[in-house]
Amino acid sequence: MCSCADFVVGTGTTFTTLAMRAEVEVFMVGPNVTLDKIPRLDTTNSSVDIDLIGIAKNNNETRSAAVAFMSYNTMENLLKPDFFTTSTDMIKTMMSTVISATLPKTTNTKLTKPVNFTLKHIREFDPDGSLSCVYWNISEWIIDGCSVLETNSSYTVCSCVHLSTFALIMQTSRPPESDSLLELLNLVCVIVGLVFFSLALLTFVLCQWSPGVNNVARINLCVSLLLAHLLFLLTQQFLSLIRRHQVLCAVISGVLHFLFLSGFVWMFIEAVLHFIRVKNLSQIISKKREVLNDRFLCVIGYTVALVVVAVSAVVEPKGYGSEQCLIKMDKGFIWSFLGPVCVILALNMILFICIIINLIFTLKNLNAEVSQMKRTKNRDSSDQATFFLSSTVQFWIMTFKTLAQFVVLGCSWILGFWKELEVLFLILNSQQGTFIFLVYCVLNDEVRQQYRKFFRCLCCGLKSNTIKKH
């Protein structure tokens, strides 16, 4: 082996004790060194760039220098980030292994250039966090003489004007304290809403409806929102477990995006069907069969939401999987949900205005026809006029029900933008199933009659079983 006085010698070793595992790199240069760039010393999770040639030239007697670079893989458990004192109450996280650099057997240890340390992140990086390059000073971490040169999600480069023991600490804001009363209210409201969603869905599927009534939009609306609220409830209950698996969290947020969007699309389809019924009072059934059959509606109802989610995932794949396993608010990604929702709400509003205008003209025409038929005293014509008048009244009722559905199911989301209206937003959105059940089932005469018939049969069955036992 040649003499270290003639060129560079680099050695590395790893040793383990009961308390920690350390990696050590030693580098020395002699007076006749011919290096033309600053040497780099590497360990598993860190590296250092130090101008050892310039330091050696400053040592006039020996014209040599040596550096020892050490990385302690578990030292952060002893020199905890809590020893880093800051003016604000923040959560402090050690983002790197603890490293140390010294200049052994070097007379003049003055640095000619700042030393750059590249520290690999050993924990998940929070983009909203604040990074600090720190060094250990007797009993605490301080930042004097150290600064962050560059950083990304994987590593950070620190620059220091002196040698010591270093580390990288991240500061993040403390999450707001959870409101146990609000969480309990949310849990109870969502469970109640799920129960009424289930009752409404069973009613739409099992009850007998008039031939002109198309329940496909209401059934799929209930299915979409029932699954969305159920998945949201389960996710929030097991959030601490789900959040450990980022892929699962992102998938759940994507599914929730799809389900809630499909709910809005089905609400729009319900408005379209209602508009067609108003436009074709005398041809409801035939129009439904010719233009909007159930299969076509199902394709539209779910494909639109699926396309929006797919495009959003391709454009910004990291937009899914927030801290609550929802879509993220940063970089405008929230508009992948709010954009389609605003468009649907605007189209629904236009449809409702058209429906009301059509009904006003229909009522005027019918009033004129009824007056004419009463003057001619034509019995068949009077019956026809009465039928159309009764149908129009029913359509007025259905229009206001659908308008109320539009307000409760759609406009209530606007309340989510104001923190002060959080409780009202929570109640309205969790009780969507309750609203659908009350408006379309309880307030429907035909459905109430079938409910009475069902309960009479149930009571008769219970009485007969009791008599048989005695």
Side-chain angles (χ1 to χ4, degrees):
M1 177 181 291
C2 299
S3 171
C4 67
D6 297 325
F7 71 110
V8 181
V9 176
T11 61
T13 185
T14 301
F15 63 89
T16 305
T17 68
L18 293 177
M20 64 179 177
R21 180 176 181 271
E23 297 178 66
V24 180
E25 288 286 327
V26 179
F27 204 91
M28 297 178 290
V29 298
N32 299 323
V33 65
T34 58
L35 287 177
D36 57 356
K37 63 178 182 179
I38 293 176
R40 165 171 287 198
L41 283 73
D42 295 294
T43 61
T44 303
N45 292 317
S46 57
S47 63
V48 60
D49 297 306
I50 183 170
D51 185 18
L52 200 59
I53 302 170
I55 296 173
K57 291 179 179 179
N58 283 344
N59 284 267
N60 297 325
E61 296 180 0
T62 62
R63 305 287 292 178
S64 63
V67 60
F69 180 52
M70 290 158 281
S71 175
Y72 311 98
N73 291 347
T74 58
M75 182 66 79
E76 65 270 14
N77 296 328
L78 297 175
L79 305 182
K80 298 180 179 180
D82 294 336
F83 292 120
F84 181 42
T85 305
T86 57
S87 58
T88 56
D89 184 22
M90 307 280 280
I91 296 178
K92 299 156 192 170
T93 306
M94 189 70 75
M95 291 296 294
S96 71
T97 55
V98 176
I99 61 172
S100 179
T102 59
L103 296 171
K105 296 184 179 180
T106 304
T107 306
N108 186 359
T109 58
K110 182 180 180 180
L111 298 179
T112 56
K113 294 180 181 179
V115 180
N116 294 338
F117 300 96
T118 301
L119 302 173
K120 182 180 178 181
H121 297 166
I122 60 175
R123 292 178 177 83
E124 184 178 356
F125 174 68
D126 185 353
D128 297 326
S130 174
L131 291 173
S132 299
C133 297
V134 297
Y135 78 94
W136 186 255
N137 182 29
I138 303 176
S139 61
E140 63 177 346
W141 292 110
I142 60 176
I143 61 175
D144 294 347
C146 292
S147 60
V148 176
L149 277 187
E150 62 175 291
T151 186
N152 59 28
S153 60
S154 302
Y155 66 87
T156 296
V157 179
C158 295
S159 178
C160 296
V161 297
H162 55 78
L163 297 181
S164 182
T165 298
F166 303 95
L168 181 67
I169 293 177
M170 180 175 67
Q171 301 176 74
T172 53
S173 301
R174 292 188 179 276
E177 295 183 2
S178 59
D179 190 335
S180 57
L181 184 60
L182 189 62
E183 290 179 356
L184 179 61
L185 177 64
N186 179 47
L187 179 63
V188 172
C189 288
V190 172
I191 291 176
V192 171
L194 290 174
V195 171
F196 283 107
F197 262 130
S198 303
L199 292 175
L201 188 58
L202 288 173
T203 301
F204 291 139
V205 173
L206 300 179
C207 284
Q208 297 177 356
W209 297 82
S210 301
V213 176
N214 187 355
N215 276 329
V216 63
R218 296 169 198 164
I219 290 173
N220 285 278
L221 174 64
C222 286
V223 170
S224 298
L225 294 181
L226 173 64
L227 293 177
H229 285 285
L230 179 60
L231 179 60
F232 178 78
L233 176 64
L234 294 175
T235 301
Q236 298 310 306
Q237 293 303 308
F238 300 99
L239 187 60
S240 58
L241 297 176
I242 296 173
R243 204 156 42 192
R244 298 175 187 174
H245 309 281
Q246 184 60 31
V247 174
L248 177 60
C249 185
V251 169
I252 289 175
S253 64
V255 173
L256 286 172
H257 188 190
F258 166 75
L259 290 174
F260 279 117
L261 266 187
S262 63
F264 277 95
V265 175
W266 281 112
M267 185 174 63
F268 172 70
I269 291 175
E270 171 67 16
V272 171
L273 290 175
H274 193 60
F275 177 75
I276 292 175
R277 287 195 289 266
V278 172
K279 287 287 289 183
N280 305 278
L281 291 177
S282 61
Q283 299 177 353
I284 299 172
I285 301 176
S286 61
K287 194 70 177 177
K288 183 190 95 173
R289 289 177 180 172
E290 291 175 5
V291 181
L292 298 176
N293 59 64
D294 293 351
R295 291 183 180 179
F296 176 76
L297 292 177
C298 288
V299 170
I300 296 297
Y302 293 109
T303 302
V304 172
L306 186 61
V307 169
V308 172
V309 174
V311 171
S312 302
V314 171
V315 173
E316 185 57 51
K318 294 183 179 180
Y320 292 103
S322 67
E323 285 294 315
Q324 300 298 319
C325 289
L326 303 172
I327 61 176
K328 295 180 180 178
M329 301 288 185
D330 55 349
K331 298 181 181 180
F333 190 75
I334 186 64
W335 286 102
S336 63
F337 176 73
L338 291 182
V341 167
C342 290
V343 171
I344 291 174
L345 292 180
L347 291 175
N348 274 358
M349 183 60 71
I350 294 172
L351 280 174
F352 285 126
I353 293 173
C354 294
I355 289 171
I356 292 173
I357 293 174
N358 273 280
L359 283 175
I360 290 173
F361 280 109
T362 301
L363 274 179
K364 286 183 178 179
N365 294 333
L366 283 178
N367 287 333
E369 289 181 16
V370 169
S371 299
Q372 179 65 28
M373 290 172 183
K374 285 182 177 179
R375 286 195 294 269
T376 59
K377 297 182 179 179
N378 186 324
R379 182 177 179 181
D380 293 335
S381 299
S382 298
D383 292 340
Q384 187 179 7
T386 303
F387 168 75
F388 275 105
L389 187 59
S390 176
S391 299
T392 306
V393 172
Q394 291 298 319
F395 278 112
W396 267 113
I397 295 173
M398 283 300 301
T399 299
F400 283 112
K401 286 182 179 180
T402 312
L403 180 60
Q405 171 185 302
F406 161 73
V407 173
V408 173
L409 300 188
C411 294
S412 60
W413 284 87
I414 300 175
L415 301 176
F417 287 99
W418 287 277
K419 184 70 175 178
E420 298 79 7
L421 302 176
E422 181 180 6
V423 175
L424 184 60
F425 169 77
L426 184 153
I427 294 174
L428 286 179
N429 277 279
S430 63
Q431 296 309 301
Q432 291 172 343
T434 307
F435 166 80
I436 292 176
F437 179 73
L438 291 175
V439 170
Y440 290 106
C441 301
V442 175
L443 299 181
N444 187 296
D445 290 334
E446 296 180 5
V447 175
R448 284 205 304 270
Q449 291 175 7
Q450 295 184 59
Y451 281 164
R452 293 190 192 100
K453 183 179 179 181
F454 171 76
F455 284 117
R456 279 198 296 267
C457 293
L458 183 64
C459 291
C460 290
L462 291 175
K463 286 181 180 179
S464 61
N465 287 335
T466 304
I467 293 171
K468 288 179 181 179
K469 287 181 180 180
H470 288 289

